[in-house]
Amino acid sequence: MTDVTEETDEEQAPTGVDPEGDPLLRTRFALPKRPATFLRRPRLARHLDEALRTPLTLVDGSAGAGKTLLVADWATGLREPVAWLTSDTADQAPGVFWAYLLGALRAAGVPVAAEVGCPAEASRVDQRTLTRLAADLERRDHTTVVVLDEFDRVTSPEIAWQLQFVLHHAGRGLHLVLVTRTEPLLPLHRYRASGEITELRDAELAFTTDEAGELLSRHGLHLPVSAVEALVERTRGWAAGLRLCALAARRGPDPGTYVKQFEAGHSAVADFLLAEVLDRQPPGTQDLLLRISVLERFCPDLVNALTLRTDAETVLAALHRENAFVHYLGQSWYSLHPLFAEILRAHLRERSPGLEPELRRRAARWLRRSGALREALVQGAAADDWEFTARAVVDDLAIGRLFTGLRSEDLSALFSRMSPEVTGPVPDLVRAARDLGRRDLEHGLTHLRRASQEVAGAAGDGPEPAPVRLSCALLEALAARLTGSPGRAERAAEQARGLWRHVPEQRLDEHPELTALLLTHLGSARLWAGRFEDARTALSAVAGHPGGAVMALPRWEALGHLALIDYLNGWPGRAEHKALAAVGEAERHSLPRRSGSGLGPLVLAAVHVDRDELDEAQALLDDEAVSRPAVEDPVARAGRTVVRGRLLLARGDARAALAAADEPVPADVGSPWAREQSALLASAAHLAQGHPDLARQAVDRMAPHRTACAVEAARVRLAAGRAEEALALIDGLPDGDRPGPAVAVRATLVRAQAAYETGDRGTAHRLVARALLDGRREHLRRPFLEAGPWIRPLLSTGRLRELAGGWLLPGRPVTTAPAGHPGFAVEELSARERDVLHRLADMLSTEEIAADLHVSANTVKTHLKSIYRKLGVSRRAEAVRRAREARLL
């Protein structure tokens, strides 16, 4: 087990690939090449050079204003490293945006510290990633220039805030250049007020008469100054208009006359592009441009498939050379200018109604055969060909991507458009996966039931292919986990094992998340059934898997479940280690906690309760409650109920703890450990209220089955004055049962109390000493606090006081001010409270402390309240002063 956890902790996020393991589109990191007709404009280059004095440069202009080529040309002459990223419409999701931005830095040769990590989900980015990136850049002795081209495609306020955060905290280590058509969502008024922004806008980007004359000359047009002035006036110096006009005029018989007659404001840009770019192409090329307008990107083979031609390579190369809004992406791939593509699509619908869906269907099948599954799904959905789209997901074993990976939300949104009229086992499987992934049990189980019946009923006409039945098995295992049905999970796993040999091994290797999710669901169901070792076998195989970010969610869940198993077995130290590994996995890959069970924080809270660190436990529960999914599986529900109940009991609210113990956990099958934990909680709460008879009723029926319950039953006997019965229960524990220290310490204290109450003080001292030694290693304070008043005299003298010193006295250790300082005692601060206190002394705000420690602001506020209480103050300045007096700072 130790090896498994260490291997997971040391794994680093892969570079050069997206979180699903696919290569990043490196063409997005490349500075655009300047065409032979490009005109370098020194006045704008000087302005950009001067802009390096401010942290932010904004190049804001209309489409075709020449922004991108201007900044690319300027960037090539810089001594500072330049990371270039061309934004994409998908970048409105934070995970996508930051995954590519980190890739751009690495592609530019800017080393990124390993601890920065890499997002794994589209929906969010952990604050730790942003904080570490900013700190990494700030430490450098040079400025890194980051250019975000086409930033107007990024419309997320969350990304804007995150970008502002990194820019602010990176200091002089980062200079950000935003190339955009619209004003970004950053608080520009603040940058303007502080003089921290340099702006280049349409008025400055517009060509002067001299620049326009030189540009036209580069296109082979040598016109009188008056003609150039008229053109500049009519186009208002718009770069794309000048270039388009030059291209069109050069092809006409009288360029001078064409220029005089051209009026940019006379017609819309669409009309101009259609008339002067599309209509000037040969009919065959026009048809090609219209057909490829449905594609995000294209290569010659794909274009030939859509046009039924064989000369696409030659035509595309010619269009690119002519700057006819066909951009070369590298490796034989091209794209159309987005505005041009949009106009072409509108024209295609007018010229050939009904052709667009057929083109998209044809493109979808070509893209799937070539391995571009994501683009194939997009095209299939756009064509309303849902049978193909759903079948592609299932047959490619990609159904697990609806639960994990960078594009899970994109896939879920894509299939949300699928019409209910689309029927069949495969569409129903996809619907079930989408609904179960969102924890919509009612609809998910309905779709899964129908799909399972259809798959089983298809045997007469020939069984469905193995991928369909394997996907069905995966969803059956998930349904079993969510409904607390271990037998159903075992049957699903057995069915999956029989199907693996019918699926190409390469396909399984391409989708390790499928098997990992299946084993995670199986392990959770086994845990619910109380089969801890069988659950550990399934979960350990997932936790130790070396896969990349696509395996992050299964690993996170597996580690959390393994942590819970260790905790239930009485090993809080081991449980804490695995829970921290689970939390680290989630933070490293920016996993949204709503996508999984989130057992790691729950286990950490339980460990804090055992250590009597109640504020820390409460902070974890509060933080976890914010991200809790609407529907939980029984394991998470029962675990949360137990931890909350124990915390309430530790805070002295026995009535609320009893209510928690009685809370039902919906499940098809009951769980032995859930019943056991409820019985233990109810018994302890009854004892705290002074009702040993009720405590005995709560725990006695469970005592024969588990050591922890037998120990609690013995404690109940002691409370009723029946020491001999208590010892008989402890002595009757099976020899082969080796409980962890959390149970062993309680058992030892029961023996010690029995010896103490029967007058055997020597044995009591010896047993308490053993309990202190065992408890000190795990910092287990609660067993001693719950032991009762008999133990206090023993802990106040001699060796027992020495063993308890520094971690237990009398329930929490104390630190006394040194000689010469005001005489007061300070209750010891936890490690995290000391971290907060040090940052408090550095004058950090609550939000800055939260960002620095990678916790929520509410968690920081909880720590501050505890610090104030322990130091006996009510304000920040007083806390810092008192801490200095007590030599805590």
Side-chain angles (χ1 to χ4, degrees):
M1 291 304 304
T2 302
D3 293 338
V4 167
T5 305
E6 289 177 353
E7 188 177 40
T8 304
D9 288 342
E10 293 173 0
E11 181 188 350
Q12 301 295 331
T15 60
V17 296
D18 70 18
E20 289 191 345
D22 296 324
L24 294 172
L25 295 175
R26 299 185 65 83
T27 51
R28 292 181 59 188
F29 308 146
L31 272 69
K33 294 181 180 179
R34 278 76 66 206
T37 55
F38 174 77
L39 176 67
R40 181 175 290 108
R41 296 191 276 172
R43 64 181 179 88
L44 297 181
R46 285 194 299 269
H47 197 162
L48 289 171
D49 286 336
E50 294 169 1
L52 289 172
R53 300 171 185 171
T54 60
L56 177 62
T57 296
L58 180 65
V59 183
D60 184 0
S62 59
K67 307 178 296 294
T68 296
L69 295 179
L70 166 68
V71 176
D73 182 68
W74 166 76
T76 58
L78 291 178
R79 290 179 296 178
E80 295 84 353
V82 178
W84 184 283
L85 173 61
T86 300
S87 304
D88 188 83
T89 51
D91 288 354
Q92 62 185 344
V96 178
F97 177 84
W98 288 101
Y100 265 93
L101 184 53
L102 292 170
L105 287 167
R106 296 185 176 104
V110 178
V112 179
E115 65 265 23
V116 172
C118 182
E121 286 287 333
S123 60
R124 67 184 293 274
V125 173
D126 195 275
Q127 187 65 31
R128 291 172 182 256
T129 299
L130 305 177
T131 301
R132 290 168 177 170
L133 175 60
D136 188 30
L137 292 169
E138 193 274 338
R139 286 193 296 265
R140 302 178 189 277
D141 57 2
H142 58 77
T143 300
T144 297
V145 177
V146 173
V147 179
L148 299 181
D149 189 28
E150 299 185 27
F151 190 69
D152 48 280
R153 295 185 176 189
V154 180
T155 59
S156 165
E158 184 179 1
I159 292 176
W161 180 91
Q162 292 165 350
L163 201 57
Q164 177 194 352
F165 175 88
V166 173
L167 179 61
H168 173 71
H169 290 284
R172 297 181 62 85
L174 172 63
H175 179 80
L176 181 63
V177 181
L178 299 182
V179 183
T180 177
R181 295 182 187 177
T182 59
E183 193 156 284
L185 297 177
L186 275 69
L188 299 182
H189 61 282
R190 296 182 185 175
Y191 289 100
R192 289 167 184 148
S194 59
E196 294 182 321
I197 184 173
T198 302
E199 300 182 65
L200 283 78
R201 293 187 174 271
D202 265 329
E204 188 170 5
L205 293 170
F207 275 66
T208 66
T209 300
D210 290 341
E211 291 169 343
E214 177 64 21
L215 178 67
L216 294 171
S217 296
R218 289 174 178 257
H219 283 79
L221 294 177
H222 304 283
L223 302 176
V225 174
S226 58
V228 176
E229 288 176 346
L231 184 59
V232 170
E233 176 66 25
R234 291 168 182 166
T235 61
R236 294 180 175 86
W238 181 44
L242 292 169
R243 291 192 177 95
L244 286 171
C245 181
L247 288 170
R250 189 174 60 182
R251 295 173 181 169
D254 187 354
T257 301
Y258 176 86
V259 169
K260 290 178 182 179
Q261 293 176 349
F262 169 73
E263 292 186 17
H266 179 69
S267 60
V269 174
D271 294 336
F272 181 81
L273 288 172
L274 290 173
E276 303 303 337
V277 179
L278 180 66
D279 291 348
R280 295 238 173 207
Q281 300 293 338
T285 304
Q286 290 185 35
D287 181 70
L288 179 145
L289 284 170
L290 289 169
R291 287 171 178 259
I292 65 176
S293 66
V294 303
L295 301 170
E296 294 180 13
R297 61 188 185 115
F298 42 86
C299 65
D301 288 343
L302 176 54
V303 173
N304 284 333
L306 259 63
T307 61
L308 305 179
R309 299 168 58 139
T310 58
D311 61 346
E313 183 172 6
T314 303
V315 176
L316 292 175
L319 289 169
H320 173 62
R321 285 195 304 270
E322 295 169 7
N323 297 315
F325 286 86
V326 175
H327 302 157
Y328 183 61
L329 302 176
Q331 299 181 344
S332 298
W333 283 89
Y334 296 82
S335 70
L336 287 172
H337 186 287
L339 179 61
F340 190 35
E342 183 180 347
I343 294 168
L344 289 173
R345 283 195 296 274
H347 196 59
L348 171 68
R349 292 163 193 152
E350 293 179 3
R351 181 181 291 188
S352 304
L355 180 58
E356 181 180 352
E358 173 57 30
L359 292 173
R360 291 189 180 277
R361 278 192 290 269
R362 203 178 298 171
R365 282 152 178 77
W366 187 95
L367 288 164
R368 185 187 174 192
R369 288 194 301 271
S370 67
L373 179 62
R374 184 192 68 84
E375 292 171 276
L377 298 179
V378 169
Q379 291 293 341
D384 246 5
D385 191 349
W386 293 108
E387 177 62 35
F388 163 83
T389 308
R391 176 71 65 172
V393 168
V394 172
D395 284 354
D396 283 30
L397 294 183
I399 199 166
R401 298 290 167 93
L402 281 160
F403 304 99
T404 180
L406 185 64
R407 302 188 181 100
S408 57
E409 290 191 357
D410 292 342
L411 282 174
S412 180
L414 184 145
F415 281 105
S416 68
R417 310 199 310 264
M418 185 163 57
S419 169
E421 296 177 359
V422 180
T423 60
V426 174
D428 280 332
L429 278 177
V430 174
R431 290 190 183 100
R434 180 175 178 273
D435 291 337
L436 291 175
R438 297 183 304 160
R439 296 300 193 261
D440 182 352
L441 272 184
E442 180 182 357
H443 292 95
L445 293 177
T446 299
H447 291 311
L448 178 59
R449 188 181 307 113
R450 186 163 57 211
S452 299
Q453 292 171 351
E454 291 167 333
V455 169
D461 301 325
E464 288 282 355
V468 175
R469 290 178 287 153
L470 188 55
S471 297
C472 190
L474 168 66
L475 299 184
E476 283 286 337
L478 173 56
R481 169 186 171 179
L482 294 177
T483 58
S485 180
R488 184 178 182 180
E490 293 291 347
R491 290 191 295 274
E494 183 63 29
Q495 181 183 15
R497 281 191 287 267
L499 291 168
W500 281 335
R501 57 192 175 88
H502 298 293
V503 177
E505 186 174 350
Q506 179 183 357
R507 187 65 55 82
L508 285 172
D509 291 342
E510 291 171 352
H511 293 282
E513 77 280 356
L514 188 75
T515 302
L517 287 169
L518 180 69
L519 290 175
T520 301
H521 303 330
L522 176 63
S524 180
R526 287 175 172 176
L527 193 163
W528 179 246
R531 297 167 52 197
F532 288 173
E533 292 310 309
D534 290 339
R536 193 191 304 274
T537 298
L539 295 166
S540 297
V542 179
H545 196 286
V550 72
M551 286 290 296
L553 187 140
R555 277 199 305 265
W556 170 41
E557 289 214 290
L559 285 166
H561 282 75
L562 289 169
L564 180 60
I565 292 173
D566 280 338
Y567 181 79
L568 293 174
N569 282 332
W571 295 93
R574 296 179 185 176
E576 180 185 37
H577 182 64
K578 292 184 178 67
L580 287 173
V583 171
E585 188 77 18
E587 292 173 348
R588 183 161 56 250
H589 296 284
S590 297
L591 292 174
R593 286 173 290 182
R594 285 186 181 274
S595 62
S597 59
L599 289 178
L602 285 179
V603 173
L604 290 176
V607 173
H608 280 306
V609 172
D610 280 356
R611 293 172 178 172
D612 200 41
E613 297 166 347
L614 305 186
D615 290 340
E616 289 85 344
Q618 187 68 62
L620 282 166
L621 288 179
D622 291 344
D623 193 41
E624 185 269 345
V626 175
S627 59
R628 186 183 310 163
V631 176
E632 299 178 285
D633 64 59
V635 171
R637 177 79 175 267
R640 179 173 294 101
T641 300
V642 169
V643 176
R644 182 166 54 83
R646 289 186 177 181
L647 178 58
L648 289 167
L649 184 60
R651 290 196 181 280
D653 194 345
R655 178 178 296 180
L658 273 174
D662 289 337
E663 284 186 15
V665 177
D668 291 347
V669 177
S671 169
W673 67 263
R675 289 195 298 268
E676 171 197 332
Q677 293 297 320
S678 294
L680 289 171
L681 179 59
S683 174
H686 285 309
L687 280 184
Q689 292 180 320
H691 303 303
D693 290 340
L694 293 177
R696 180 171 179 173
Q697 292 175 20
V699 78
D700 265 13
R701 65 180 182 274
M702 303 298 299
H705 306 294
R706 294 281 291 173
T707 298
C709 289
V711 172
E712 177 65 18
R715 197 165 76 94
V716 170
R717 265 63 172 186
L718 284 175
R722 301 174 179 176
E724 292 184 0
E725 291 184 23
L727 283 175
L729 278 170
I730 297 296
D731 292 338
L733 295 175
D735 295 335
D737 192 356
R738 299 176 61 85
V743 178
V745 167
R746 287 179 168 84
T748 304
L749 288 176
V750 168
R751 292 180 185 274
Q753 183 179 355
Y756 184 85
E757 292 181 355
T758 57
D760 189 353
R761 302 300 173 87
T763 299
H765 274 74
R766 178 175 54 80
L767 291 171
V768 170
R770 184 197 302 171
L772 286 169
L773 288 171
D774 291 341
R776 182 169 62 181
R777 284 192 289 269
E778 301 277 358
H779 297 281
L780 292 171
R781 298 185 181 95
R782 289 307 308 169
F784 297 92
L785 296 176
E786 295 167 353
W790 67 272
I791 200 172
R792 293 171 189 164
L794 299 182
L795 296 178
S796 62
T797 59
R799 172 167 168 72
L800 296 185
R801 180 176 182 178
E802 293 178 3
L803 291 174
W807 70 281
L808 182 60
L809 288 176
R812 298 298 298 263
V814 298
T815 300
T816 305
H821 285 263
F824 62 88
V826 177
E827 195 174 340
E828 185 185 55
L829 305 182
S830 69
R832 184 45 61 94
E833 289 168 349
R834 289 194 296 273
D835 290 338
V836 172
L837 182 62
H838 280 288
R839 286 156 178 80
L840 204 64
D842 291 337
M843 305 299 290
L844 269 65
S845 68
T846 300
E847 290 72 19
E848 289 171 330
I849 295 173
D852 202 35
L853 295 178
H854 314 297
V855 296
S856 70
N858 287 334
T859 300
V860 174
K861 291 175 183 177
T862 301
H863 289 314
L864 288 174
K865 290 178 183 178
S866 179
I867 292 170
Y868 295 164
R869 176 181 60 80
K870 292 178 180 180
L871 296 180
V873 300
S874 59
R875 290 186 291 182
R876 290 177 170 231
E878 294 174 350
V880 173
R881 177 178 56 79
R882 182 66 62 90
R884 295 191 191 281
E885 291 173 352
R887 299 287 179 87
L888 297 177
L889 290 172

